[in-house]
Amino acid sequence: MKTEMLLQSSFRLILMLLLVVNSVDAQISNDLEGWSAVELNLKATKKLSFSVAEHLRFRNDISTVKNYFTQIKVNYEILKNLELGAGVRYITKNDDVGGQQGYDPFFRYQFDAAYRHKIEKLGLFFRLRYQNKNQLGRSESEGDVAKEFIRTRFGVGYKIKPLKLTLRVFAEHFNQPTNSKIEQNETRMRYTLKLNRRFKKIGAFTVFYGIQNNSVGDVKTKKSFLGLKYAYKIDFTK
């Protein structure tokens, strides 16, 4: 009972924080992005699962393509509720600033450790991620320095049984490790609200809204994003 009350309090706190940040962001945000994704999940065994997804993102108030990418991930449950994962992402980024414009290819890899815990209608989620991204076709001498982040993500979910919906709230911190090749470190805070509905034999649909604050040295920027995701799962263990 105490744990459930703690989860409920955490959920309310993150939700209130998201609403407060949103009210401030609405006054000073400089962009609204649109994110969309289609994902296929494969549960190979009780412990091993794979996923492949296609993503498309827009910027400039959802009027210009920002990037699109293919992502492949694998997860393995080493202990009850504790998973280790890895993923790769091939990104095509739209560079529409400066003298040389066009679509540039990037490659990103990541390693995750994720913990989930459920208590009746409530769910607790924590993830630690390391990611590394660099531009393909360019060397370090040409200005390509790998961009690294260590990300910590905390989330709380609540099942709305009468509507068969799941509401989730996430708070995530991005920290860039100190690197002598980078002039100024970058940090980010991202807050996301997700609403998920799963349909039998059809798949799951998720709509979400998020706010992200970026800081590079003394320069601070904000953006928000609105998204839609469709996911279909094939379970080979059944």
Side-chain angles (χ1 to χ4, degrees), residues 9-114:
S9 299
S10 301
F11 180 83
R12 294 192 188 101
L13 179 61
I14 296 177
L15 183 58
M16 289 176 61
L17 182 60
L18 179 61
L19 293 174
V20 170
V21 173
N22 181 43
S23 65
V24 175
D25 181 79
Q27 302 173 28
I28 61 178
S29 176
N30 56 10
D31 196 14
L32 171 65
E33 295 188 357
W35 295 8
S36 60
V38 177
E39 183 176 77
L40 174 64
N41 297 300
L42 303 174
K43 189 172 180 62
T45 68
K46 290 184 178 180
K47 295 182 177 293
L48 181 65
S49 61
F50 301 88
S51 70
V52 58
E54 292 290 335
H55 295 250
L56 175 62
R57 295 182 178 179
F58 291 85
R59 61 184 173 192
N60 299 331
D61 295 329
I62 320 182
S63 64
T64 306
V65 172
K66 178 183 179 182
N67 58 45
Y68 53 89
F69 56 89
T70 301
Q71 179 170 271
I72 301 173
K73 295 195 300 182
V74 57
N75 290 287
Y76 186 80
E77 186 178 41
I78 58 172
L79 296 171
K80 185 179 180 181
N81 299 327
L82 178 62
E83 287 186 344
L84 295 182
V88 293
R89 180 181 290 186
Y90 181 80
I91 307 165
T92 301
K93 181 180 179 181
N94 180 20
D95 181 3
D96 56 357
V97 179
Q100 288 187 327
Q101 300 184 16
Y103 285 88
D104 299 322
F106 288 78
F107 179 78
R108 193 185 96 175
Y109 65 86
Q110 64 198 39
F111 298 103
D112 298 338

Side-chain angles (χ1 to χ4, degrees), residues 91-180:
I91 307 165
T92 301
K93 181 180 179 181
N94 180 20
D95 181 3
D96 56 357
V97 179
Q100 288 187 327
Q101 300 184 16
Y103 285 88
D104 299 322
F106 288 78
F107 179 78
R108 193 185 96 175
Y109 65 86
Q110 64 198 39
F111 298 103
D112 298 338
Y115 176 78
R116 294 176 175 82
H117 185 66
K118 293 182 180 180
I119 301 177
E120 296 182 358
K121 297 180 182 180
L122 291 171
L124 178 67
F125 176 84
F126 175 80
R127 186 187 70 193
L128 178 65
R129 168 176 288 179
Y130 167 79
Q131 71 179 45
N132 183 302
K133 183 179 77 172
N134 71 294
Q135 185 173 348
L136 298 177
R138 292 188 67 187
S139 64
E140 197 171 284
S141 62
E142 294 173 311
D144 178 36
V145 178
K147 197 168 189 177
E148 301 174 283
F149 280 110
I150 296 175
R151 299 163 55 171
T152 52
R153 188 188 199 197
F154 173 75
V156 179
Y158 180 76
K159 287 188 176 181
I160 310 172
K161 286 190 174 181
L163 301 177
K164 298 181 180 181
L165 296 172
T166 301
L167 180 66
R168 297 185 178 96
V169 182
F170 295 94
E172 185 170 16
H173 178 257
F174 295 61
N175 182 58
Q176 192 172 37
T178 301
N179 189 330
S180 59

